Amino acid sequence: MASILDEYEDSLSRSAVLQPGCPSVGIPHSGYVNAQLEKEVPIFTKQRIDFTPSERITSLVVSCNQLCMSLGKDTLLRIDLGKANEPNHVELGRKDDTKVHKMFLDHTGSHLLVALSNTEVLYMNRNGQKVRPLARWKGQLVESVGWNKALGTESSTGPILVGTAQGQIFEAELSASEGGLFGPAPDLYFRPLYTLNEEGGPAPVCSLEAERGPDGRGFVIATTRQRLFQFIGRATEGGVEAQGFSGLFAAYTDHPPPFREFPSNLGYSELAFYTPKLRSAPRAFAWMMGDGVLYGSLDCGRPDSLLGEERVWEYPEGVGPGASPPLAIVLTQFHFLLLLTDRVEAVCTLTGQVVLRDHFLEKFGPLRHMVKDSSTGQLWAYTERAVFRYHVQRESRDVWRTYLDMNRFDLAKEYCRERPDCLDTVLAREADFCFRQHRYLESARCYALTQSYFEEIALKFLEARQEEALVEFLQRKLAGLKPAERTQATLLTTWLTELYLSRLGALQGDPEALNLYRETRECFRAFLSNPRHKEWLFASRASIHELLASHGDTEHMVYFAVIMQDYEQVVAYHCQHEAYEEALAVLARHRDPQLFYKFSPILIRHIPCQLVDAWMEMGSRLDARQLIPALVNYSQGGEAQQVSQAIRYMEFCVNVLGETEQAIHNYLLSLYARGQPASLLAYLEQAGASPHRVHYDLKYALRLCAEHGHHRACVHVYKVLELYEEAVDLALQVDVDLAKQCADLPEEDEELRKKLWLKIARHVVQEEEDVQTAMACLASCPLLKIEDVLPFFPDFVTIDHFKEAICSSLKAYNHHIQELQREMEEATASAQRIRRDLQELRGRYGTVEPQDKCATCEFPLLNRPFYLFLCGHMFHADCLLQAVRPSLPAYKQARLEELQRKLGAAPPPAKGSARAKEAEGGAAAGGPSREQLKADLDELVAAECMYCGELMIRSIDRPFIDPQRYEEEHLSWL
């Protein structure tokens, strides 16, 4: 064991290369080098806003990047922080001494409420420029507002809650619609729901928050000076949208809601929520009251209470009711910030320690209040003369240390996941903690993820005699190695194999440890079969085979060979031990063709039938040509069983797989010729009679059939080779009917057919001396005449034997003569009908009206020479010529041009009969006349109507627009 540790340490020292910012082997624990490249930015950074108010600031609220502040007693300033250079001043229109008591801005930044000290409330919408009084709210000094985050929009608040200084909680709804002088008021309704009490009676409602749970339940948290109340209820019919909050508060009519109470009193209290940017539900709360800050988590899914993990953090030294009371509180992810008159103090919610104490200069005056914009996470504080903004940056950077000191390792790892050096420190501390707690397996998993010394951790588990934890540690280390670390991987896989084999050897044979042995064996097999370890196991398979052999574990030798897909060794192992069926089972299970080719010569001698079945199951995966040597060696004995197995597989290849390889078909022919002659002819006939479609060698098949005396098979091969004379000669030795079938095969060569039938007739007459059979041959072949057969008969044969044949021949000649006469009469009648039709056509005519127009150009027809077709279409001669020319073939177009040229050169027709005869005589002497040229031109152009004839049919695939003119036509339509 120690030698393996030494080798592993040496391999690490050889392969380790120190790189900047990367772990190096030999550095204890974290193994990381930290270099602070730039100054650490504080979590809370204060920035004074470049703004000098014209009057003192009395109140300020921020939400959804919208800032609203009241200046003096009559001015309201609205600023969209995205457009900070465009502030909006609004006058409240108050001429008395009324002051702004508080302002409230909803989560959308759209609805602003201004509570005045004279119990009036003003409303203003972000999209409006007018301040509108809320008549129904008059008489109530508003201390808090619970906005409806689920139903509130830019145009409507939905049902909201309003807390007053008299302890009453009202439900109200506001609408931003402005209906003019007689339009609806913005406050749709304002009705009381509940009154909060303390021991002395009603108490001011200092804070109000309303939330909706995932299951539809409503939650309301309200605070007074000393108490925190919870209202929890499920919406009734119609949901919260229709019922508002009345149904939720109605459940507490008869009994008070649950509350937390603390004795000290600041005279006021304030509640703050922390809500992540991308989530609508708050995660934590902080309540500033007399005894300190009550902090805890919020879980809307809890059935009885919204609050959880509560604890009270006392105020820092110098802060509290008797000293400097806090004025406001805001809550971030891990801190709450307390506002005092001269400073801001930030307290960590995990430890209660003060992490920031930020003092303000006296020249700005005392601090008034502090608010948080939940949409951006920015904090805002103000005095009467200045406004300050806090940026929160990487608040969780050091939270992991706090969780680490608290032994909350999961949370510590969550907050340092992107910092490998810190994560390594957390894992090392967690591993040490688990080791001390004797949780060795968990400790091993953590140690494997650290950069701690390998040999130190391994020896630690060995000294504690925790081999199971050591195996877990080694496996985790193996899984984390890189592909280039082959040496370490080889050592780890070898060590793990040795540990497993030693443990199996110690447990084997002990009946009390049978279950433990089986569990260890399954773990060992899972290690060997783990796909993540396959590459390492394959690289070190030689050493693992040696370990398995040294322990004599043949079972796992076979198992490991199967895992490594080294099936050749497994099959060879079974064959050496004469376990041929097990070897075939391995072959059949893993279906490797190369292994079949290699071991088939051995297996076919012992289990031929099972092997052939396996071949057939493999189907087309096997190349039958590669198996022919094994079949040849096996079937050389000549026994019927040996030949039948070979024939069975070859038939499967040919009939089922459709093999077309010539070698396979030739081998099947040889098997048929030697072992199953009855199947030979059937195979040849099934293969067909076309020499181009058969898959066997015809010459080889002919020689093979001749050697074994299979004459009918030879005749079939002769027929395929189209050697009909040889086929008839050989068939006459077997069967005359077979010879007749061969003689009818050359259907297109009548001379050859006649010759073959003469051979059959000669054989029947001269060899068999059977006149009746000879006459039957004469009747079977219409090509043979009695005069062709007579020379074969001897001189002593009387004419009585040929009487019927001679009479039949004379009848046939007579019938042929009659057929010729009938055909001549039909031809004469047809010629007469044609002449009659021609006479009728000469007399046909058509009528042209003066208003008739050309079918192509739409101009009057009678203005120019024209053509009139029987179908009724009419065309000018030049229009028809222009339309028909593109559709004519090239040679006809050339002929058309030639006729036009000759017609143009021909003299015009002369007037008078004498001169016409002279022109005709001159034309006859020098070439075709003008009338002949016009007739030829008409035959080319006007042979048929261009709309009703074949010309239109042939042009069906032509586009309507010429492709060369397509762009021009396309642009003309735009």
Side-chain angles (χ1 to χ4, degrees):
M1 197 76 69
S3 63
I4 295 178
L5 279 172
D6 295 338
E7 292 179 10
Y8 188 83
E9 183 180 2
D10 293 340
S11 66
L12 285 175
S13 62
R14 288 195 301 271
S15 62
V17 178
L18 184 61
Q19 297 180 358
C22 296
S24 63
V25 178
I27 300 177
H29 296 295
S30 68
Y32 290 91
V33 178
N34 293 322
Q36 190 170 0
L37 301 180
E38 59 184 20
K39 186 178 180 180
E40 187 75 18
V41 179
I43 296 176
F44 299 98
T45 305
K46 181 175 69 176
Q47 174 191 6
R48 184 194 172 194
I49 304 302
D50 187 12
F51 168 73
T52 302
S54 57
E55 299 182 67
R56 62 185 183 87
I57 303 173
T58 58
S59 183
L60 182 146
V61 288
V62 183
S63 180
C64 199
N65 228 22
Q66 301 291 320
L67 184 146
C68 300
M69 67 174 73
S70 62
L71 304 176
K73 63 178 183 178
D74 195 46
T75 303
L76 187 65
L77 179 64
R78 296 188 303 177
I79 302 176
D80 185 348
L81 297 178
K83 304 174 183 177
N85 57 347
E86 300 178 6
N88 182 18
H89 290 266
V90 179
E91 298 295 333
L92 297 181
R94 313 297 300 184
K95 303 302 181 181
D96 53 11
D97 295 334
T98 303
K99 300 179 181 179
V100 174
H101 175 62
K102 282 185 179 181
M103 293 198 306
F104 308 93
L105 187 62
D106 78 319
H107 60 285
T108 66
S110 302
H111 307 281
L112 175 66
L113 293 174
V114 182
L116 303 179
S117 58
N118 63 350
T119 69
E120 292 185 19
V121 181
L122 306 178
Y123 169 73
M124 186 174 186
N125 188 265
R126 181 170 64 181
N127 299 323
Q129 295 293 326
K130 185 172 62 174
V131 178
R132 307 170 68 186
L134 303 179
R136 292 185 175 90
W137 296 41
K138 187 174 179 61
Q140 302 294 334
L141 183 62
V142 178
E143 291 288 344
S144 57
V145 175
W147 299 103
N148 195 326
K149 301 179 182 64
L151 302 178
T153 63
E154 293 185 1
S155 60
S156 173
T157 62
I160 61 174
L161 298 175
V162 180
T164 67
Q166 293 79 22
Q168 290 182 296
I169 297 178
F170 290 85
E171 182 183 25
E173 185 173 358
L174 302 175
S175 174
S177 61
E178 297 185 8
L181 181 63
F182 299 101
D187 48 342
L188 302 182
Y189 62 88
F190 188 75
R191 54 174 174 256
L193 293 179
Y194 201 83
T195 302
L196 298 182
N197 295 293
E198 291 183 352
E199 291 185 358
V205 183
C206 299
S207 299
L208 265 177
E209 293 289 345
E211 294 294 336
R212 174 81 60 82
D215 56 354
R217 292 187 303 164
F219 299 88
V220 175
I221 296 180
T223 66
T224 59
R225 291 167 296 192
Q226 294 176 276
R227 291 183 180 182
L228 183 146
F229 296 86
Q230 292 186 72
F231 297 88
I232 303 174
R234 185 175 296 277
T236 55
E237 296 181 3
V240 173
E241 295 86 345
Q243 300 292 329
F245 294 95
S246 59
L248 187 149
F249 283 91
Y252 298 95
T253 304
D254 300 331
H255 59 87
F259 61 87
R260 305 284 192 276
E261 184 175 13
F262 294 90
S264 298
N265 190 349
L266 287 174
Y268 53 86
S269 69
E270 186 170 347
L271 182 67
F273 278 4
Y274 167 69
T275 303
K277 290 183 179 180
L278 301 180
R279 295 185 56 184
S280 59
R283 296 277 296 276
F285 77 97
W287 179 36
M288 182 187 73
M289 41 79 181
D291 288 273
V293 176
L294 176 65
Y295 174 79
S297 63
L298 293 173
D299 185 2
C300 297
R302 298 181 61 183
D304 52 348
S305 174
L306 186 65
L307 313 180
E309 301 179 6
E310 302 173 40
R311 65 177 305 173
V312 177
W313 292 112
E314 296 182 357
Y315 289 120
E317 184 178 357
V319 180
S324 178
L327 302 177
I329 185 172
V330 294
L331 181 62
T332 63
Q333 186 176 7
F334 296 105
H335 301 84
F336 60 81
L337 284 79
L338 297 173
L339 181 79
L340 289 85
T341 57
D342 61 344
R343 66 186 183 274
V344 171
E345 295 193 6
V347 180
C348 178
T349 57
L350 300 177
T351 62
Q353 297 179 355
V354 178
V355 299
L356 172 70
R357 190 172 275 116
D358 188 14
H359 289 269
F360 287 72
L361 298 178
E362 294 182 0
K363 65 177 183 178
F364 300 124
L367 292 167
R368 297 291 303 272
H369 201 64
M370 191 174 191
V371 293
K372 176 184 177 182
D373 188 350
S374 299
S375 63
T376 62
Q378 295 177 349
L379 313 179
W380 296 78
Y382 68 95
T383 68
E384 292 183 349
R385 293 188 292 273
V387 179
F388 301 88
R389 177 170 55 191
Y390 281 92
H391 294 273
V392 184
Q393 297 180 344
R394 295 179 57 219
E395 185 180 3
S396 61
R397 68 183 70 171
D398 294 323
V399 171
W400 68 273
R401 295 183 184 275
T402 305
Y403 282 127
L404 182 61
D405 294 336
M406 299 167 62
N407 291 334
R408 300 180 68 176
F409 302 109
D410 292 339
L411 292 173
K413 287 185 286 188
E414 181 179 351
Y415 287 102
C416 64
R417 197 167 299 279
E418 297 180 358
R419 301 173 63 181
D421 54 339
C422 303
L423 181 61
D424 188 80
T425 302
V426 174
L427 290 170
R429 286 274 295 274
E430 183 181 8
D432 293 338
F433 178 79
C434 293
F435 194 91
R436 291 193 301 269
Q437 297 290 325
H438 304 293
R439 292 152 50 190
Y440 297 108
L441 285 177
E442 297 179 28
S443 176
R445 297 186 187 105
C446 293
Y447 275 131
L449 297 175
T450 66
Q451 299 295 321
S452 303
Y453 286 129
F454 171 82
E455 62 278 7
E456 177 185 343
I457 305 303
L459 290 173
K460 196 172 184 178
F461 285 117
L462 287 174
E463 291 173 358
R465 298 182 180 278
Q466 295 296 324
E467 292 186 2
E468 185 179 0
L470 177 60
V471 168
E472 180 71 18
F473 172 69
L474 295 179
Q475 285 185 339
R476 299 269 178 166
K477 275 293 184 184
L478 179 63
L481 291 179
K482 299 178 181 178
E485 298 173 322
R486 296 182 178 275
T487 305
Q488 294 92 321
T490 302
L491 292 172
L492 287 177
T493 52
T494 305
W495 193 2
L496 282 167
T497 304
E498 174 65 28
L499 289 173
Y500 274 119
L501 291 175
S502 299
R503 185 166 179 80
L504 288 173
L507 295 175
Q508 193 173 16
D510 186 358
E512 297 181 358
L514 181 60
N515 293 332
L516 184 58
Y517 171 79
R518 291 175 177 173
E519 182 179 348
T520 306
R521 182 181 62 183
E522 292 302 320
C523 291
F524 182 40
R525 292 188 174 184
F527 164 71
L528 294 177
S529 60
N530 193 327
R532 293 186 299 176
H533 302 159
K534 187 174 182 179
E535 181 181 354
W536 310 126
L537 292 170
F538 185 80
S540 57
R541 63 187 183 280
S543 58
I544 293 178
H545 274 301
E546 291 178 2
L547 279 175
L548 292 169
S550 65
H551 283 266
D553 195 343
T554 57
E555 178 185 2
H556 285 103
M557 283 181 64
V558 174
Y559 182 82
F560 180 67
V562 171
I563 292 297
M564 292 293 102
Q565 296 183 355
D566 192 2
Y567 305 120
E568 182 177 350
Q569 186 171 355
V570 178
V571 177
Y573 173 83
H574 287 310
C575 290
Q576 290 173 2
H577 293 78
E578 298 183 357
Y580 301 109
E581 293 184 355
E582 287 80 355
L584 181 60
V586 174
L587 291 177
R589 184 165 57 251
H590 300 289
R591 308 172 75 84
D592 186 353
Q594 298 300 325
L595 293 181
F596 271 101
Y597 302 148
K598 182 172 183 178
F599 291 99
S600 288
I602 301 173
L603 297 177
I604 199 170
R605 292 199 299 266
H606 302 281
I607 48 173
C609 184
Q610 296 91 322
L611 180 62
V612 171
D613 290 340
W615 287 350
M616 295 170 68
E617 288 180 4
M618 286 289 290
S620 58
R621 291 177 178 232
L622 292 179
D623 186 357
R625 295 175 301 175
Q626 302 274 5
L627 299 174
I628 288 179
L631 290 172
V632 170
N633 293 333
Y634 173 66
S635 61
Q636 280 180 348
E639 296 182 3
Q641 181 181 2
Q642 296 174 340
V643 176
S644 65
Q645 293 299 329
I647 290 177
R648 185 161 72 97
Y649 182 64
M650 289 292 105
E651 286 180 340
F652 171 78
C653 294
V654 171
N655 298 329
V656 178
L657 300 182
E659 283 285 353
T660 59
E661 287 292 334
Q662 191 177 80
I664 296 174
H665 287 264
N666 289 344
Y667 183 56
L668 180 57
L669 274 176
S670 67
L671 292 173
Y672 279 146
R674 185 173 52 176
Q676 294 184 8
S679 303
L680 177 60
L681 184 59
Y683 166 77
L684 293 174
E685 291 176 349
Q686 183 181 1
S690 174
H692 304 293
R693 294 185 178 180
V694 296
H695 303 299
Y696 56 87
D697 188 347
L698 291 168
K699 295 181 180 179
Y700 173 75
L702 184 61
R703 184 173 64 253
L704 191 66
C705 295
E707 288 177 359
H708 291 82
H710 304 310
H711 296 303
R712 287 184 177 271
C714 286
V715 170
H716 181 83
V717 177
Y718 276 133
K719 290 192 295 184
V720 177
L721 288 170
E722 297 182 356
L723 300 175
Y724 301 116
E725 292 189 37
E726 289 82 352
V728 170
D729 292 340
L730 185 57
L732 289 174
Q733 299 178 17
V734 180
D735 186 6
V736 175
D737 292 335
L738 181 59
K740 292 179 180 180
Q741 296 175 5
C742 297
D744 282 332
L745 291 176
E747 297 178 354
E748 298 180 357
D749 192 347
E750 294 185 355
E751 183 179 353
L752 179 57
R753 285 179 59 198
K754 185 175 181 180
K755 182 179 179 181
L756 296 177
W757 277 100
L758 287 174
K759 279 190 175 187
I760 297 173
R762 181 187 294 113
H763 174 79
V764 172
V765 173
Q766 295 179 355
E767 300 295 333
E768 298 183 3
E769 298 180 357
D770 188 351
V771 178
Q772 297 297 331
T773 304
M775 293 298 99
C777 291
L778 188 64
S780 300
C781 180
L783 299 177
L784 291 182
K785 307 299 180 182
I786 186 63
E787 57 268 23
D788 298 326
V789 182
L790 285 176
F792 300 147
F793 289 94
D795 296 338
F796 56 82
V797 178
T798 61
I799 197 172
D800 294 337
H801 295 89
F802 312 112
K803 182 177 179 180
E804 294 182 2
I806 293 172
C807 292
S808 299
S809 179
L810 292 175
K811 289 180 180 180
Y813 284 131
N814 186 31
H815 179 72
H816 183 61
I817 291 170
Q818 292 177 357
E819 286 291 328
L820 291 176
Q821 290 176 350
R822 185 176 59 79
E823 291 177 0
M824 291 172 62
E825 292 174 356
E826 291 179 354
T828 301
S830 178
Q832 291 177 355
R833 286 195 299 272
I834 292 173
R835 282 193 291 269
R836 187 168 54 252
D837 291 342
L838 289 174
Q839 291 294 333
E840 292 178 357
L841 287 174
R842 288 195 184 101
R844 294 190 66 178
Y845 63 92
T847 302
V848 179
E849 300 294 337
Q851 66 271 17
D852 288 341
K853 297 180 181 181
C854 175
T856 58
C857 68
E858 298 293 333
F859 281 96
L861 187 69
L862 297 176
N863 290 350
R864 302 198 299 273
F866 62 89
Y867 289 98
L868 173 63
F869 292 92
L870 296 178
C871 59
H873 287 111
M874 308 172 190
F875 303 93
H876 287 133
D878 55 344
C879 294
L880 182 64
L881 181 65
Q882 185 178 1
V884 171
R885 185 194 300 271
S887 303
L888 295 177
Y891 73 94
K892 287 189 176 183
Q893 291 185 12
R895 173 63 177 163
L896 182 62
E897 293 177 358
E898 181 183 0
L899 290 174
Q900 284 182 311
R901 187 174 60 255
K902 290 181 178 181
L903 193 61
K911 296 182 179 179
S913 60
R915 298 186 61 183
K917 291 181 180 179
E918 292 178 2
E920 291 178 1
S929 64
R930 184 180 182 86
E931 295 299 326
Q932 182 63 37
L933 293 175
K934 291 181 65 177
D936 294 342
L937 183 64
D938 291 345
E939 184 178 357
L940 279 176
V941 176
E944 58 183 1
C945 176
M946 63 175 292
Y947 289 162
C948 303
E950 294 184 1
L951 182 63
M952 181 59 66
I953 297 174
R954 288 197 302 270
S955 66
I956 193 171
D957 58 344
R958 291 178 55 191
F960 290 109
I961 302 175
D962 188 357
Q964 297 179 354
R965 299 182 60 252
Y966 178 79
E967 287 297 331
E968 179 183 352
E969 188 71 21
H970 176 67
L971 293 175
S972 68
W973 282 78
L974 297 179

